[in-house]
Amino acid sequence: MKKTLVGTLIIVLLSVSTMLFASGNQDDDGGKIKLSFATSIYVEAPHKAVIDKLISTYNAQNPNVEIEVYGAGWSSFWDNMTTEILSNNEADIIQMYTSNIAQYHALRPEGTFLNLNDKIVGTSYEKDLVGQDECKYDGDYVAFSNYAWGTTGLFYRKSILERAGVDPSSIKSMEDFRNASLKLTNDNVSGFGVLVSSHSFVVSEWARFIARVISGGLYFPGEKGPFTPDRINVADPANIWAAEWWQNMILQDKSARVLKDKKDVRELFWNGKIAFNLDGPWFIGMTESRDPALLEDVGLIPQPAVEYEGKTYRPNPSQYPLITVISKNCKHQEEAWDFLKWMASKEAQEIIAECGMIPNSKSYVTESNYKATHKLAYQFYDFIANYYDPLISDPSIPQIGELQQIMIEATQRIFSSADADAAAILEDAKKEMQVVMER
Amino acid sequence: MSDSRIFNKFPTGFLFLLIIVILVFLIYPISKTVLMSIQYWYLPKKGPNTTFVGLKNFFHLFSDKAFLSSLGKTFIYITVTVFFRFVLGYLVAFLLDLKFKGRALARALIIIPWAIPEVVACLVWILMYDQEFGIINYIITNFHILHENVRFLEDPGTALPAAMVVNIWKGFPFVAIMILAGLQSIPKELYEAATVDGASGFQKFRNITVPMLKPVSKVVFLLLIIWTMKDFAIAYLLAEGGPSRATEILTIYVYKTSFKYFDFGVAAAGGFVLLLFSLLFTVFYMRDLESA
C-alpha cells in the first residue's frame, strides 16, 4: 500500500512539474507579460552588459512586461534556433543578422517571423536605421534593425609597430599589409591571426579582406539575383587569385598565426603576440572590458585596398547590422514590437553605444555629441564614408547556410596545406553550390 | 494493495500501456523516418515539401561524394577505435587482475574516462590538443619530437586520428571493466587443475582464459561496434565534422544534412542506412546474447 502511494505521488509530481515546465516560458506570471529574447552575442562581455542594461531599463519602465534573455554561445545558437523553430518552441524575439532572415523564415511554409510592414512602411525607420532595407523577405519587412551595426577595420598594437619601425598610416594596399606583417613577425610576435578551422570566419575574413573586394561576390556577382546555378561566382579567376594570395601569406610567409577560434586571435592580440587584428567596432568594447588601459596601445586603420591585374580596388567589406524579428508564435506581438521600437529610441541607442558598437540610428550617430565621445567607434563611420566602396552582404536566400558551409569546407582545404590546389577546390565548391541551387 | 496485486488485476492495462510506449517512442519515429526518406523534404525551397519521390533520396545519397566519404570514414573510425579499445581494455583488465598494492584505487581511477560526460571530456581534449596552449604540443616541442606545433584539430590530416584517440581513451575502460569481470568469474579451480597437470602460463591463457572470456568478449565487441557507429558527440564536439569534412562520420553527415542544410528527405535516407547497419549488428548481438 505504501509503495503504491509513493508511486502515485511520484507520478502526480512528475506530471505537475512537466506541465509547469512546459508552460513556464509562455504563460504570464502574476499578471506580467513574459517575453523571451534570444541572441547569439550574449556570451560576449560588452554585449551582455548592454543587453542586460537595455532589458533592465525597459523592464523598469514597463512593470507589466518582463523580458528574459536566452543567450547560447555563437556557434551553438544557430543550431538551437533551427531546432526550436522546427519544434515550434523558439523565443518570442530573436536577434540575428540580415543574411539569416531568409534561411530561418523559410523553415515554416507559412513563414516563421511576423510581417512588420504595417509598423515600418512609410515611417522614418525605413531611412534612419542602418540595414533596415535588408530586413525584407519577398518584399515584406520581417525584421527590424534596432541594435547596432558594424563593418571591419584593422586594429593594431601601437607599441609592436613602433618597435618594428612600421608606420600604420603607410599601409594602403594589401601588399603593404603583407610586407608589414612579414616585418612584424619574429620569434615572439606574428603579423596577424588567421582562422583555419570549422569556424565561419575561415571564409568571412578572407572574403571581406580580399576576395569579395576584387570579385564582388563569392556566391553570385555582387551577391545580387537572379540566384541561378549558372551565376555561381566562387570559381571566378579573381577569387582563385585571392585564395592563392591568402594561402601564400599564411603558409609561405608564415607571417600569420593560424588559430582555431576568433577568441584565440583576440586573446593573442591583447597579450601582444599578434600585431594586427581584423575586427569590427565591438572589439573596442571587448578590449575596454578586458583592460581599459590596453586601449591606449590600440590603433585602427581601414582595410587596405587590393591591387589585381593593374587595377586598384577599394575595400568593400561586409556590413553586419544586428536585426530583430518577432516570432509568429509570439503570444504578445504588440508588446514585443513596443520593446523593439524602444530599442531604436535615443535612450536605448545611447545604452548601445556604451559597448563601443555603432548604434544603428543614423541621426543619433551623426550627432556631434556621439562623435566626440566615441572617437574610435566613429572611425568606422568614417571608413564607410571615405575609404570603402559600398558594402556587400551575403545574399538573402534560404540556401545561404548550405552555401556558406560549402565555402567553409573549401577554404579549410585551401588554407591548411600549401599544396592545396585553390582553383580545383573552388571549382568543386562551385559544382556543389550549383547542385544546391538546382535542388 | 501491493504492486503485484495491481498488475494481476489489470494485466492487459499494463500491456496496453507498454504497446503505447513502443508505438510512440519506437514505431512512430522509425516509420516517420522511412516515410520522410521517400519524400521531398527540402525546407529552403518553397512549395509542397512532402511529395513522394520514391528512391530518389537514396540515389542522391549514393551519388553524393560527401556521403560515400562519410561511410568510408565511419568504417575507418569503427575499425581503428574498436580495435584499440579492445586491445587496451584487455591489457588493462589483465593488469588490474594482478595482485598489487593500490589495486582498488587503480580500478576506481581507470573508470574515470568512461564515467565523465562526453562534453567535458571533449573540452579537456580540445585544450590539450590546442596548437598554442595545449600540453601535447608543449611536450612535443619541448622534447624536440617535432620542431613545429601540430594543429591536431585544424589539419584535415590529423583531425580524424585525433578524434579516434579521444574515442579510444573514452571507451577502453568499459572493455577493461567487462573483461575484468569476466576474468574474475573464471573458477580458480580450473587454473589449479591445469597447474597440477603441468600446464604453462601460456597454455593456461590459451586453453582456459581465452575460451572462458569468449562470450563476454563477443558481446563487448558487438556493443562497441554498435556504439561507435552511432557516435556523434566526440567527432562533433571536437571538430564539428571538419576541417574540410575530415571528421564527418555518418552521424554528422545526417545531422548536417538535416539541421544545417534542411534537407530532411536525404537526411532521413541517411538515417535509414545507419539504422540498417545498426540493425545488422544488433541481430548478431541478440543471437550472441541468446547463445551465451
Side-chain angles (χ1 to χ4, degrees):
Chain A
M1 186 68 189
K2 222 175 182 181
K3 275 184 183 174
T4 319
L5 262 174
V6 172
T8 315
L9 206 66
I10 290 170
I11 291 168
V12 169
L13 280 172
L14 276 173
S15 313
V16 170
S17 57
T18 310
M19 280 189 289
L20 284 173
F21 179 77
S23 61
N25 295 333
Q26 294 297 320
D27 281 2
D28 306 335
D29 183 21
K32 270 191 176 184
I33 289 167
K34 276 194 170 183
L35 292 169
S36 49
F37 178 87
T39 176
S40 65
I41 50 171
Y42 197 60
V43 288
E44 292 168 10
H47 286 298
K48 183 182 183 307
V50 171
I51 289 169
D52 282 346
K53 194 166 179 189
L54 282 171
I55 286 173
S56 62
T57 309
Y58 190 78
N59 283 344
Q61 289 174 8
N62 298 273
N64 62 322
V65 179
E66 190 180 328
I67 296 165
E68 280 184 321
V69 191
Y70 300 129
W74 197 89
S75 54
S76 51
F77 178 82
W78 309 103
D79 286 355
N80 286 358
M81 191 160 71
T82 304
T83 321
E84 285 163 4
I85 291 171
L86 291 173
S87 54
N88 281 313
N89 193 33
E90 73 276 12
D92 297 312
I93 303 166
I94 307 167
Q95 201 172 46
M96 56 176 73
Y97 302 97
T98 51
S99 57
N100 301 125
I101 297 172
Q103 193 182 351
Y104 294 101
H105 191 58
L107 283 183
R108 288 199 201 119
E110 71 282 7
T112 309
F113 311 128
L114 192 67
N115 186 314
L116 300 173
N117 278 349
D118 60 328
K119 297 164 176 24
I120 296 172
V121 175
T123 68
S124 59
Y125 296 136
E126 280 190 299
K127 287 190 176 163
D128 187 49
L129 301 176
V130 174
Q132 189 56 55
D133 51 336
E134 294 174 71
C135 289
K136 287 179 181 169
Y137 183 78
D138 270 359
D140 293 322
Y141 284 118
V142 291
F144 189 50
S145 175
N146 60 357
Y147 182 72
W149 66 274
T151 183
T152 45
L154 269 175
F155 289 92
Y156 62 89
R157 291 296 297 263
K158 291 175 187 169
S159 54
I160 299 175
L161 266 64
E162 269 170 29
R163 271 200 304 274
V166 174
D167 175 12
S169 64
S170 68
I171 300 170
K172 303 287 185 201
S173 70
M174 283 299 279
E175 280 311 309
D176 296 336
F177 175 66
R178 187 173 177 173
N179 292 332
S181 294
L182 266 173
K183 212 172 165 185
L184 291 160
T185 301
N186 54 48
D187 287 345
N188 295 317
V189 181
S190 296
F192 75 127
V194 174
L195 300 191
V196 178
S197 64
S198 303
H199 202 288
S200 62
F201 274 32
V202 71
V203 181
S204 67
E205 291 203 340
W206 162 68
R208 78 176 88 130
F209 219 7
I210 183 162
R212 261 190 191 148
V213 176
I214 47 163
S215 66
L218 295 179
Y219 305 107
F220 301 92
E223 305 302 13
K224 298 257 187 299
F227 301 111
T228 50
D230 56 299
R231 294 187 74 240
I232 297 282
N233 202 40
V234 66
D236 179 275
N239 273 332
I240 294 169
W241 175 85
E244 286 167 349
W245 195 97
W246 199 245
Q247 190 184 33
N248 290 340
M249 191 175 183
I250 299 169
L251 299 161
Q252 280 182 12
D253 294 2
K254 296 196 173 172
S255 59
R257 199 174 294 205
V258 176
L259 293 150
K260 190 174 160 50
D261 203 303
K262 189 66 188 172
K263 67 179 185 320
D264 297 336
V265 179
R266 289 169 178 150
E267 200 59 46
L268 290 178
F269 180 83
W270 287 324
N271 286 320
K273 299 284 180 192
I274 284 174
F276 288 108
N277 175 37
L278 179 70
D279 229 314
W282 46 86
F283 189 64
I284 300 165
M286 284 179 179
T287 307
E288 199 169 14
S289 64
R290 160 107 184 173
D291 178 5
L294 249 181
L295 264 183
E296 297 297 314
D297 194 37
V298 173
L300 177 63
I301 53 172
Q303 284 186 210
V306 182
E307 282 157 7
Y308 172 62
E309 292 191 336
K311 222 177 134 187
T312 302
Y313 296 81
R314 296 212 309 176
N316 55 355
S318 302
Q319 170 167 273
Y320 290 109
L322 270 156
I323 48 97
T324 320
V325 296
I326 300 174
S327 161
K328 270 188 183 169
N329 285 345
C330 174
K331 275 187 187 174
H332 305 287
Q333 295 174 348
E334 281 310 312
E335 286 79 1
W337 169 249
D338 285 343
F339 174 64
L340 262 57
K341 217 166 53 176
W342 176 78
M343 275 178 69
S345 70
K346 191 178 175 185
E347 182 187 14
Q349 296 284 299
E350 270 172 1
I351 296 173
I352 290 163
E354 286 175 19
C355 78
M357 293 292 289
I358 302 178
N360 70 321
S361 162
K362 290 174 197 165
S363 52
Y364 176 74
V365 170
T366 46
E367 278 180 10
S368 53
N369 183 39
Y370 176 81
K371 287 184 201 174
T373 50
H374 298 88
K375 279 181 189 156
L376 204 55
Y378 187 74
Q379 264 186 272
F380 284 95
Y381 196 81
D382 183 47
F383 294 166
I384 300 288
N386 299 309
Y387 296 95
Y388 294 172
D389 267 355
L391 306 168
I392 294 179
S393 296
D394 286 349
S396 185
I397 50 172
Q399 295 93 333
I400 191 66
E402 198 165 353
L403 301 186
Q404 283 169 342
Q405 194 60 38
I406 292 168
M407 274 314 294
I408 289 173
E409 277 144 18
T411 44
Q412 279 173 341
R413 282 173 69 194
I414 298 169
F415 305 138
S416 356
S417 163
D419 302 329
D421 182 347
I425 293 169
L426 291 179
E427 193 56 45
D428 280 351
K430 178 184 169 181
K431 284 177 193 155
E432 278 187 62
M433 286 185 191
Q434 283 173 332
V435 171
V436 171
M437 298 310 295
E438 277 161 4
R439 206 181 292 161
Chain B
M1 195 186 285
S2 73
D3 290 348
S4 56
R5 279 171 63 195
I6 295 176
F7 186 81
N8 288 339
K9 207 169 179 187
F10 312 106
T12 38
F14 280 97
L15 207 61
F16 183 68
L17 271 176
L18 187 67
I19 291 168
I20 289 179
V21 169
I22 290 172
L23 280 173
V24 172
F25 294 107
L26 203 71
I27 307 295
Y28 174 74
I30 292 175
S31 315
K32 183 79 180 169
T33 307
V34 175
L35 187 68
M36 282 171 82
S37 72
I38 49 171
Q39 286 178 327
Y40 176 84
W41 257 84
Y42 185 56
L43 294 184
K45 250 331 186 340
K46 277 191 170 179
N49 255 321
T50 50
T51 323
F52 174 75
V53 290
L55 295 176
K56 204 175 165 189
N57 288 331
F58 289 92
F59 289 130
H60 173 92
L61 207 60
F62 284 97
S63 61
D64 182 2
K65 276 196 286 184
F67 173 75
L68 296 174
S69 159
S70 77
L71 263 186
K73 276 175 213 128
T74 309
F75 178 74
I76 295 168
Y77 193 69
I78 292 171
T79 311
V80 175
T81 57
V82 170
F83 175 78
F84 281 104
R85 273 179 169 194
F86 216 72
V87 171
L88 260 177
Y90 247 82
L91 286 174
V92 171
F94 279 107
L95 281 176
L96 292 179
D97 198 38
L98 299 174
K99 279 182 185 156
F100 59 91
K101 216 176 174 184
R103 187 174 70 165
L105 181 69
R107 284 180 177 180
L109 288 177
I110 204 72
I111 208 155
I112 288 176
W114 174 256
I116 60 172
E118 277 162 331
V119 177
V120 179
C122 287
L123 284 174
V124 171
W125 275 93
I126 286 170
L127 285 174
M128 294 204 302
Y129 277 141
D130 194 279
Q131 188 198 356
E132 290 290 330
F133 320 106
I135 190 160
I136 299 176
N137 269 312
Y138 177 81
I139 293 168
I140 286 173
T141 46
N142 274 275
F143 286 92
H144 304 290
I145 299 165
L146 290 171
H147 297 298
E148 274 191 3
N149 287 6
V150 182
R151 291 185 285 126
F152 288 104
L153 298 172
E154 294 86 52
D155 187 329
T158 53
L160 190 63
M164 289 194 287
V165 167
V166 180
N167 192 305
I168 293 162
W169 173 84
K170 183 93 182 69
F172 85 86
F174 169 76
V175 182
I177 298 299
M178 293 295 280
I179 298 300
L180 184 62
L183 279 173
Q184 288 177 344
S185 68
I186 301 174
K188 296 284 175 281
E189 294 79 19
L190 289 177
Y191 290 108
E192 284 163 12
T195 310
V196 171
D197 290 343
S200 67
F202 179 72
Q203 282 173 323
K204 280 187 237 174
F205 174 75
R206 203 183 69 176
N207 297 315
I208 300 172
T209 314
V210 171
M212 293 300 279
L213 286 179
K214 209 174 166 187
V216 69
S217 302
K218 277 170 85 176
V219 170
V220 168
F221 187 69
L222 285 169
L223 275 178
L224 284 185
I225 292 178
I226 295 167
W227 288 345
T228 314
M229 196 182 296
K230 293 189 300 173
D231 183 37
F232 173 82
I234 292 175
Y236 191 78
L237 289 167
L238 288 174
E240 293 177 36
S244 195
R245 290 188 160 158
T247 54
E248 194 175 293
I249 52 176
L250 201 47
T251 46
I252 296 180
Y253 174 89
V254 171
Y255 166 76
K256 276 190 175 173
T257 309
S258 48
F259 291 103
K260 294 257 187 221
Y261 307 154
F262 310 131
D263 196 339
F264 288 88
V266 172
F272 187 67
V273 171
L274 188 63
L275 177 74
L276 285 182
F277 283 129
S278 295
L279 275 178
L280 189 74
F281 285 100
T282 308
V283 169
F284 283 124
Y285 170 69
M286 294 306 288
R287 270 192 191 171
D288 250 71
L289 218 56
E290 279 165 16
S291 64

